[in-house]
Amino acid sequence: MRRKKKIKNIGVHLLLSVLAIIWVSPLFWIVLTSFRAQKGAYTSSFFPKEYTLNNYIKLFTDTQILNFPKMFGNTLFIAVVSCIISTFFVLSVAYCMSRLRFKLRKPMMNIAMILGLFPAFMAMVAVYYILKAIGLSEGAMIRVALILVYSGSSGIQFYIAKGFFDTIPKSVDEAAMLDGATKWQVFTRITIPLSKPIIVYTVLTTFISPWVDFIFARVICRANAEYYTVAIGLWQMLEKEYVDNWYTCFAAGAVCISIPIAILFILMQKCYNESMSGAVKG
Amino acid sequence: MDLINAIKKGDLITRASALVMGLGNILRGQIIKGILYLAAEIGFIVFMALYGWQCLAALPGLGSREQGEIWNEALGVYEYVQGDNSLLILLYGIAVLFIATGFICLWAGAVKSAYTVQVCREQNKHVNTFAEDVKSLFDKNLHKLLLSLPVTGILIFTILPLIFMIAMAFTNYSKVDGHLVLFDWVGLDNFKQMFDVSGSLGKTFWSVLGWTIVWAVFATALNYILGMLLALLINRKGTKIKGFWRLIFILSIAIPQFVSLLVMRSMLSQDGIINVMLKNAGLIEKALPFFSNATWARITVIVVNLWIGIPYTMMQVTGILQNIPMELYEAAEVDGAGPIVRFFKITLPYMLFVTTPYLITTFTANINNFNIVYLLTKGDPVLSGSTAGKTDLLVTWLYKMTVDYQYYNLGAVIGIMTFVFLAIGSLLVYRRTKSYKDEEGFQ
């Protein structure tokens, strides 16, 4: 019996190892490519023949054609601002839907759900023309336009935060209100301090989205390479005219972006799990 | 209802407030509030007279003047005349309709407010000062304060564009016959064209729709079951270093999707590393047609999606799996049920019960899964003469129709059809779930 169990355990671990190799190999491959000395997309072996750091150096110093440091700066700026706005929007809406009672609450929640069913970028072309009509489609205003696109309608994604607020016992609010606190004070002094995991979760999700979106960024930046975000920049490196010279740099860029994003993502997941287990542990 | 009541029971001043907004408030002591209402009304009238009216008037015809040069008799030169731009006319027209709707709500608020003051005065109750009104925004009316900005954002960046696009589905805004600057309303023509099975467009539509459904069902079901099995495999008692295994699998979704998918694309391409390695090992002679053969490409998309989807499901269900009461398993084991029976009789029904909303969200996300198809195959292989490739989903087809081919009207039709399809399905299921009915069950 014990022997049988041992064999089974070994089998499971072997299976997991094989799966793990399948799952990690593309990641491993991109890291290897980023250190490859030989240029171009084509390669004849899994492991490079020579290793070099030049791809990283070129990525950060060769700013003539594709200015990666600038793209990085653009994205960081856009991500920080839109993350602040979105977090504020999401938390406000979630609190209203969870705690306050008003006539339009149920209709609003239903509308939010229905809107979620439309393909997100169906309205992309329309958004571009709206931004153009209010004069945000040229020059430095492109950054403002991107911030608005990422944060403007973020209030609609309130469901997870609302679910979290729902787990905070109402008796806490009631006790505070008996002591004469206004609803605003309940929101800022009681709900917010109790909601650390969901706030961190919201901050991280909204911070990550500008880094990984390339659909909206491409439509809004068009040919204005000065305002590109990293996602379009990396996409650009794989286009026909650049791919031969920039393929290994793409790998280097992908590694540079993926490491911080992956760390943030794992942090975010931790907060998500924490917040799913409720606000006040009984 | 409140509005009708206010007009019925209101006195002369209250009724006059329906014409001159804020009059009731000003005469009865709420001076600042009344002036604000009045200012809003004047502002709206000025706006409508200067711009709004023109925009609305042009909406039914969508403009007809072409741009070009016109002979100017007096000066004796050709003058350049800017023609109408139907797109802008449509956009501004809809925006004005939005503003007008907003104003009507404000107007109703003003009449109700006038009636409220009237009642307060009649019953000798306290009439709120402006300072008290502002204060109530932080307490009784906190929702107005907190929701105003986010809702404005949603109105401008989600609802307005959406209505704009829906309106486009009823026009001939496309590059066909050069309707890119000036276009007209055409009613339901685009929809007829889309549903007509004998036309080339109709054929493409139905085949893309078919593949979208097949894709969504496979992607959702396989990811769900395999992801759960992986989670069970890691969760089981005998497995060591659980955290390490989880981390390995989560890594693949932690990195941005456009990176991992673009890497996958170059690995699987005609002379990508996978084909090269298989050739070197002598397993194949010719490169495998991962993206050039329709069936291969479809399977590739589903398999690559497993690479992303399995860890994702694993991550989502790990916590829930640990909540399944152990007694159920123990009882089943006593009764002699093997692991397979236990999975299908206990784990799966329990999980289905708890995670129905999650499944619906995943299904919706898969129908709208733009990234995987666009980054991996770009919809290829494309048969010549068709606008959609064999792996194109409705969403990627929509994207191609608008961005590449400039059939804006047909793109909008596809979007609407996607929505209708999703809405009917998920709304029906969602409204039956427990989490919707008992929203406040545990508060």
Side-chain angles (χ1 to χ4, degrees), chain B residues 33-44:
Chain B
K33 199 175 176 184
I35 290 175
L36 284 178
Y37 272 131
L38 192 62
E41 185 177 10
I42 294 170
F44 179 72

Side-chain angles (χ1 to χ4, degrees), chain A residues 23 153 162 166 183-184 247, chain B residues 138-139 158 266 307 439 443:
Chain A
W23 253 265
S153 51
K162 175 193 174 286
D166 283 346
K183 284 181 178 163
W184 170 256
Y247 188 77
Chain B
F138 288 90
D139 197 11
T158 304
S266 63
W307 187 81
E439 191 213 335
Q443 268 187 25

Side-chain angles (χ1 to χ4, degrees), chain B residues 256-315:
Chain B
Q257 250 185 34
F258 75 92
V259 170
S260 54
L261 289 174
L262 287 175
V263 170
M264 284 288 201
R265 187 175 79 186
S266 63
M267 286 178 88
L268 289 168
S269 66
Q270 196 75 31
D271 38 41
I273 187 70
I274 297 211
N275 271 326
V276 169
M277 272 168 42
L278 286 175
K279 268 189 215 164
N280 287 352
L283 290 172
I284 51 167
E285 300 258 306
K286 266 199 310 195
L288 294 175
F290 286 114
F291 299 129
S292 44
N293 175 299
T295 317
W296 274 87
R298 287 183 170 180
I299 293 172
T300 309
V301 172
I302 292 180
V303 169
V304 171
N305 187 53
L306 288 180
W307 187 81
I308 295 170
I310 289 180
Y312 198 79
T313 320
M314 179 205 81
M315 194 175 76

Side-chain angles (χ1 to χ4, degrees), chain A residues 9 12-13 15-17 19-20 22-24 26-27 29-30 42-46 89 92-93 95-96 98 100-102 105-106 108-110 113-115 117-119 121-127 129-131 133 148 152-153 155-156 162 166-167 170 182-184 187 211-212 214-215 218 231 234-235 238 247 250 254 258 261-262 265-266 269 272, chain B residues 87 91-92 138-139 142-143 146-147 149-151 153-154 156-162 164-165 173 230 233-234 236 238-240 245 247-249 251-256 258-259 262-264 266-267 271 273 276-277 280 306-307 310-311 315-316 364 368 370-371 374-375 378 395 399 408 412 415-416 418-419 422-423 426-427 430 436 439-440 443:
Chain A
N9 269 338
V12 166
H13 283 92
L15 179 65
L16 279 175
S17 311
L19 289 175
I22 295 175
W23 253 265
V24 170
L27 310 182
W29 189 68
I30 195 74
Y42 179 80
T43 169
S44 55
S45 60
F46 191 85
F89 277 12
S92 307
V93 178
Y95 182 76
C96 290
S98 165
L100 308 175
R101 289 293 174 267
F102 46 97
R105 195 181 77 100
K106 265 267 146 104
M108 274 181 166
M109 279 170 47
N110 284 337
M113 211 183 63
I114 292 169
L115 288 178
L117 295 177
F118 277 101
F121 53 88
M122 175 184 167
M124 177 182 62
V125 183
V127 170
Y129 281 107
I130 291 172
L131 291 169
L148 284 177
S153 51
I156 218 158
K162 175 193 174 286
D166 283 346
T167 64
K170 275 205 164 150
T182 62
K183 284 181 178 163
W184 170 256
F187 177 48
W211 295 90
V212 298
F214 81 109
I215 308 173
R218 235 173 112 217
L234 289 177
W235 163 267
L238 291 187
Y247 188 77
F250 159 79
S258 299
I261 294 291
F265 182 87
I266 289 166
Q269 217 45 51
Y272 178 80
Chain B
L87 190 69
L91 178 60
Y92 290 153
F138 288 90
D139 197 11
L142 181 61
H143 61 275
L146 286 183
L147 283 180
L149 272 180
V151 169
I154 293 169
I156 299 178
F157 290 103
T158 304
I159 299 182
L160 176 64
L162 214 53
F164 183 52
M165 283 308 280
Y173 180 34
L230 181 66
L233 213 57
I234 294 176
R236 66 188 275 286
T239 310
K240 299 264 158 42
W245 296 119
L247 183 72
I248 291 271
F249 290 106
L251 261 188
S252 66
I253 39 172
I255 64 166
F258 75 92
V259 170
L262 287 175
V263 170
M264 284 288 201
S266 63
M267 286 178 88
D271 38 41
I273 187 70
V276 169
M277 272 168 42
N280 287 352
L306 288 180
W307 187 81
I310 289 180
M315 194 175 76
Q316 301 282 328
T364 318
N368 284 337
F370 179 83
N371 276 350
Y374 192 75
L375 291 174
K378 285 192 173 168
V395 266
Y399 182 84
Y408 295 97
I416 293 174
T418 315
F419 167 75
L422 279 176
S426 51
L427 226 58
Y430 186 73
Y436 179 82
E439 191 213 335
E440 295 182 51
Q443 268 187 25

Side-chain angles (χ1 to χ4, degrees), chain A residues 5-279:
Chain A
K5 214 167 194 177
K6 211 170 176 187
I7 292 173
K8 212 169 146 191
N9 269 338
I10 292 174
V12 166
H13 283 92
L14 271 179
L15 179 65
L16 279 175
S17 311
V18 172
L19 289 175
I21 289 171
I22 295 175
W23 253 265
V24 170
S25 60
L27 310 182
F28 190 57
W29 189 68
I30 195 74
V31 175
L32 284 180
T33 309
S34 74
F35 290 109
R36 196 172 77 196
Q38 181 201 5
K39 285 200 178 308
Y42 179 80
T43 169
S44 55
S45 60
F46 191 85
F47 289 94
K49 297 198 174 71
E50 278 173 77
Y51 293 88
T52 171
L53 275 173
N54 281 341
N55 297 324
Y56 288 90
I57 296 169
K58 182 179 174 191
L59 184 71
F60 283 100
T61 52
D62 185 354
T63 54
Q64 287 293 315
I65 311 166
L66 293 168
N67 192 341
F68 190 76
K70 177 132 199 200
M71 292 173 198
F72 193 90
N74 282 341
T75 322
L76 187 66
F77 173 73
I78 292 167
V80 168
V81 179
S82 75
C83 149
I84 294 169
I85 301 177
S86 314
T87 307
F88 169 70
F89 277 12
V90 170
L91 292 179
S92 307
V93 178
Y95 182 76
C96 290
M97 297 301 170
S98 165
R99 277 306 200 264
L100 308 175
R101 289 293 174 267
F102 46 97
K103 242 193 314 182
L104 288 175
R105 195 181 77 100
K106 265 267 146 104
M108 274 181 166
M109 279 170 47
N110 284 337
I111 291 174
M113 211 183 63
I114 292 169
L115 288 178
L117 295 177
F118 277 101
F121 53 88
M122 175 184 167
M124 177 182 62
V125 183
V127 170
Y128 174 74
Y129 281 107
I130 291 172
L131 291 169
K132 199 173 169 183
I134 46 181
L136 294 179
S137 65
E138 297 301 326
M141 293 317 254
I142 288 179
R143 290 203 193 104
V144 181
L146 279 174
I147 290 171
L148 284 177
V149 165
Y150 293 129
S151 59
S153 51
S154 57
I156 218 158
Q157 280 137 4
F158 61 84
Y159 265 97
I160 291 176
K162 175 193 174 286
F164 180 84
F165 288 152
D166 283 346
T167 64
I168 303 177
K170 275 205 164 150
S171 50
V172 182
D173 295 24
E174 278 153 16
M177 279 196 268
L178 276 183
D179 291 342
T182 62
K183 284 181 178 163
W184 170 256
Q185 282 164 333
V186 172
F187 177 48
T188 50
R189 307 251 174 93
I190 293 174
T191 315
I192 296 281
L194 277 177
S195 315
K196 204 183 126 218
I198 203 69
I199 293 173
V200 179
Y201 174 78
T202 317
V203 167
L204 290 178
T205 16
T206 51
F207 181 79
I208 289 175
S209 63
W211 295 90
V212 298
D213 163 77
F214 81 109
I215 308 173
F216 275 100
R218 235 173 112 217
V219 168
I220 287 162
C221 292
R222 309 222 148 183
N224 299 292
E226 228 182 306
Y227 304 103
Y228 275 5
T229 61
V230 278
I232 336 177
L234 289 177
W235 163 267
Q236 197 85 353
M237 289 179 193
L238 291 187
E239 290 292 278
K240 276 195 192 79
E241 59 265 47
Y242 299 109
V243 70
D244 283 334
N245 271 322
W246 286 86
Y247 188 77
T248 45
C249 290
F250 159 79
V255 171
C256 290
I257 297 302
S258 299
I259 291 173
I261 294 291
I263 293 171
L264 291 180
F265 182 87
I266 289 166
L267 265 178
M268 175 183 98
Q269 217 45 51
K270 229 179 119 200
C271 290
Y272 178 80
N273 289 340
E274 254 171 60
S275 56
M276 282 303 109
S277 60

Side-chain angles (χ1 to χ4, degrees), chain B residues 37-306:
Chain B
Y37 272 131
L38 192 62
E41 185 177 10
I42 294 170
F44 179 72
I45 291 173
V46 170
F47 166 78
M48 281 307 276
L50 288 182
Y51 311 100
W53 182 245
Q54 287 175 343
C55 295
L56 279 188
L59 202 52
L62 289 175
S64 55
R65 250 184 319 144
E66 277 184 48
Q67 64 176 28
E69 286 162 347
I70 284 180
W71 177 252
N72 186 327
E73 287 281 347
L75 292 173
V77 288
Y78 278 106
E79 274 183 345
Y80 180 77
V81 188
Q82 214 178 355
D84 291 330
N85 184 334
S86 302
L87 190 69
L88 289 181
I89 292 177
L90 183 62
L91 178 60
Y92 290 153
I94 293 173
V96 171
L97 284 181
F98 262 67
I99 294 171
T101 318
F103 177 75
I104 291 173
C105 294
L106 193 71
W107 171 80
V111 177
K112 276 187 249 170
S113 157
Y115 179 64
T116 315
V117 207
Q118 179 200 334
V119 172
C120 285
R121 285 284 178 217
E122 278 165 3
Q123 298 173 348
N124 270 326
K125 273 196 210 151
H126 172 69
V127 172
N128 275 358
T129 63
F130 187 66
E132 283 166 338
D133 276 334
V134 172
K135 232 183 186 170
S136 84
L137 280 181
F138 288 90
D139 197 11
K140 208 182 104 216
N141 288 325
L142 181 61
H143 61 275
K144 287 184 186 162
L145 179 78
L146 286 183
L147 283 180
S148 55
L149 272 180
V151 169
T152 316
I154 293 169
L155 278 175
I156 299 178
F157 290 103
T158 304
I159 299 182
L160 176 64
L162 214 53
I163 292 182
F164 183 52
M165 283 308 280
I166 290 173
M168 253 175 218
F170 302 95
T171 68
N172 57 3
Y173 180 34
S174 74
K175 71 174 181 190
V176 177
D177 300 331
H179 281 300
L180 283 178
V181 179
L182 284 176
F183 54 83
D184 292 302
W185 297 106
V186 293
L188 290 171
D189 281 5
N190 298 319
F191 289 87
K192 274 183 208 148
Q193 220 184 325
M194 194 64 86
F195 290 130
D196 180 13
V197 192
S198 54
S200 70
L201 189 73
K203 270 185 200 141
T204 318
F205 173 72
W206 290 109
S207 79
V208 171
L209 179 65
W211 158 238
T212 306
I213 295 173
V214 170
W215 144 261
V217 169
F218 266 94
T220 313
L222 283 179
N223 281 344
Y224 188 64
I225 291 178
L226 294 177
M228 211 175 342
L229 285 177
L230 181 66
L232 286 172
L233 213 57
I234 294 176
N235 275 0
R236 66 188 275 286
K237 242 187 238 148
T239 310
K240 299 264 158 42
I241 44 170
K242 293 187 166 78
F244 170 76
W245 296 119
R246 278 190 202 120
L247 183 72
I248 291 271
F249 290 106
I250 287 179
L251 261 188
S252 66
I253 39 172
I255 64 166
Q257 250 185 34
F258 75 92
V259 170
S260 54
L261 289 174
L262 287 175
V263 170
M264 284 288 201
R265 187 175 79 186
S266 63
M267 286 178 88
L268 289 168
S269 66
Q270 196 75 31
D271 38 41
I273 187 70
I274 297 211
N275 271 326
V276 169
M277 272 168 42
L278 286 175
K279 268 189 215 164
N280 287 352
L283 290 172
I284 51 167
E285 300 258 306
K286 266 199 310 195
L288 294 175
F290 286 114
F291 299 129
S292 44
N293 175 299
T295 317
W296 274 87
R298 287 183 170 180
I299 293 172
T300 309
V301 172
I302 292 180
V303 169
V304 171
N305 187 53
L306 288 180

